[in-house]
Structures are given as C-alpha cells and as structure tokens.
Amino acid sequence: MAVQELTAKEYIMHHLTNLTNTGKAQGLDAQNFIDFSVFNVDTLIWSLIAGALGFYVFYKAAQKATPGVPGRFQMAIEMLIEMVENQSKSLVNSESRYIAPLALTIFFWVVIMNSFDLIPVDLPSVILAMFTDDIHYLRVVPTADPSSTLGMALGILILTIYYGIKVKGFGGFLHELFGAPFGAKWYLIPCNFMLNIVEYVAKTLSLGIRLFGNMFAGELVFCLIALLGGMAGIYGMGMHLIAGTAWAIFHILVILLQAYIFMMLSLVYIGQAHEHH
C-alpha cells in the first residue's frame, strides 16, 4: 500500500513502525518488544551511521587542529571538549582518563541520533523507493526506539557496577549493596538489598525512558505536521511549512537538551559509584 493511500492513523502508525530482521512490522507492542530474537534493523543502521558521522567530525577536527589561531570549527570542538571535561571532573571523583571521552561520546552520539528527527518525514521512504519496493518501513531516529535508549541506559548501569567494584573492591561493593543505607545489621540485609536493586532499576529505566519519550513525542509531532501537507489547497501547504519550520527550530533545543541531560545523568550515576557509603 502506498503511503499516499493511507488514512491519517495508518500514516502515523506506518512512520512509527520499525523494520526488523524478520521482515515483519515492529511497533511499540509489548509482546514483540520482549522477543529478543527480533531486533530493529533500521535502529541499528542509523545508530551506526550516527557513530560514523561523529567519528568523521572528530577525525576532521584532529586533522585541522593547529597550535596557532584556531578556526571556528576547531574552536567549537575545543569548547565542547572543555565543557564535557569540566562537567566530568566536577561530577566524577576519579583519575580515570576514560570518563571524559565516554561523556563526550555519549553527548555527541546522542545529538547526532536525535538530529535525524529533523529529516523530512517522508524523505527516507521516497529515496528508498527509488531502489527497492521490498522495504516498507524505515524509522531514522534511533533514540525514538526504546530498545536503543534502554540499551544505552543498560550500558551505563554496567559501567556503574564496574566502577563500583573497581573503586571499592568486590567485598566493599557487596558490603554497600547489602549494608547500605540502613546499616549492616543482619536483619536489615533484605531491606538494603531490595532498596539498592530498586534504585539501580529505577535509574536505568528513567535514563532510557526519558530520552525515548521526548524523542518519540517529537517524531509524533512531525508526523502530525506532515499530515497538514496532505490538506487540499494553499492553506494546508502553508500551515505545513509554518508549523514544520517552527517546530523544527524549537526541536533543535530539545535535541541538544536531551543529549546533555543523558550525558549529565550518566556522569552522575558513574560518580555515585565512586562514592563510599
């Protein structure tokens, strides 16, 4: 079925459906989401594209770096690196040389993935149709897919546990897991353990769901605005251009803000793993 023949509801659902390795449609269905044999191919591809773009930008910045008077591109990269480094030093009490690069990677990668939301809604499908008629679904915003954002949040959880064990030792980590915050009394061990597990789960879910929710909402608004272009006459096209431009300008702030929040919360959680209780 061509996109032009879809109803408004079908049009939105079409653009919010992922391409999977099974070739079947994958929407936000809980039963499909917990099926780990199914993964979203478009999310993986566009995540890799975002990573490659980020690598290319920093590669070009390294090539053009000069000890003399820097250009605007070099100044922008240096300001970004300095900002991230200052934030990582203030939030994470660690001598590790990997914290700041990790934070920079998170921020820039998420910014690029979020920025794919600015691509016109129907453009990827139109371009894809020039080469094949076999692929009917394609979502280009990886961070609007909960499997992507929760996967990144799970990575941060693993890092917090890793640094917790590295800084405190395995025995110290277990002592805090079972002995904090109520104390190391034997009868308080179940309460301490359950509270800490709930805290780990809540941090992971909130980190992933926050980014997903904001980007999914932005993607949905762009789909609704795109429907205005299907209205007859100059009025529909005019409203489409005005609303689309206004939302895109505002959405740039959302793109940067959500990447910054994800980076900062990641640093906060890793910093908490370095603290002794």
Side-chain angles (χ1 to χ4, degrees):
M1 183 183 295
V3 174
Q4 298 94 310
E5 300 173 358
L6 301 178
T7 64
K9 179 181 178 180
E10 291 171 337
Y11 176 83
I12 293 175
M13 292 304 299
H14 178 273
H15 284 289
L16 298 181
T17 302
N18 287 99
L19 172 68
T20 69
N21 60 312
T22 63
K24 299 179 181 179
Q26 167 94 348
L28 293 177
D29 186 282
Q31 184 176 358
N32 291 331
F33 185 67
I34 62 175
D35 185 356
F36 295 104
S37 67
V38 179
F39 58 87
N40 297 335
V41 178
D42 44 13
T43 295
L44 292 174
I45 292 174
W46 286 99
S47 297
L48 291 173
I49 291 174
L53 288 174
F55 178 83
Y56 177 76
V57 169
F58 282 102
Y59 173 74
K60 296 300 291 185
Q63 271 192 328
K64 295 183 178 181
T66 173
V69 179
R72 286 177 292 181
F73 177 63
Q74 182 179 339
M75 287 181 61
I77 296 296
E78 288 180 352
M79 289 175 61
L80 174 61
I81 292 174
E82 184 178 1
M83 181 271 292
V84 172
E85 187 175 10
N86 290 337
Q87 294 295 342
S88 63
K89 288 180 178 178
S90 65
L91 293 172
V92 183
N93 183 22
S94 173
E95 298 297 328
S96 175
R97 59 181 179 177
Y98 301 111
I99 301 297
L102 171 67
L104 181 63
T105 301
I106 290 172
F107 177 77
F108 207 71
W109 191 31
V110 174
V111 164
I112 296 176
M113 289 192 290
N114 290 352
S115 298
F116 290 153
D117 213 2
L118 299 177
I119 298 175
V121 171
D122 292 313
L123 182 59
S125 299
V126 171
I127 295 176
L128 192 62
M130 297 178 182
F131 300 95
T132 178
D133 294 326
D134 297 329
I135 300 178
H136 304 288
Y137 300 99
L138 182 67
R139 292 181 71 184
V140 300
V141 188
T143 46
D145 180 1
S147 63
S148 171
T149 58
L150 288 173
M152 290 189 292
L154 183 61
I156 298 301
L157 172 64
I158 294 172
L159 283 175
T160 59
I161 295 175
Y162 165 77
Y163 278 109
I165 295 175
K166 181 180 179 181
V167 172
K168 305 160 191 174
F170 188 69
F173 176 78
L174 288 180
H175 175 75
E176 288 194 356
L177 185 63
F178 292 99
F182 300 119
K185 304 294 185 180
W186 66 268
Y187 52 85
L188 294 175
I189 287 178
C191 297
N192 291 325
F193 178 72
M194 289 302 299
L195 185 63
N196 284 311
I197 292 299
V198 168
E199 181 181 0
Y200 279 124
V201 172
K203 286 179 178 179
T204 304
L205 288 178
S206 63
L207 184 62
I209 295 299
R210 179 185 288 104
L211 178 59
F212 156 70
N214 282 277
M215 298 315 301
F216 179 80
E219 187 181 34
L220 179 59
V221 171
F222 275 121
C223 289
L224 292 172
I225 292 174
L227 288 172
L228 293 174
M231 297 174 62
I234 299 178
Y235 174 77
M237 184 59 65
M239 289 297 297
H240 170 73
L241 292 175
I242 294 173
T245 302
W247 178 248
I249 293 173
F250 171 76
H251 202 58
I252 293 173
L253 175 63
V254 176
I255 288 169
L256 296 173
L257 183 61
Q258 290 306 313
Y260 181 76
I261 291 174
F262 194 93
M263 179 197 73
M264 291 294 290
L265 288 177
S266 300
L267 288 173
V268 168
Y269 297 156
I270 294 175
Q272 289 176 343
H274 285 74
E275 299 173 356
H276 293 269
H277 301 283

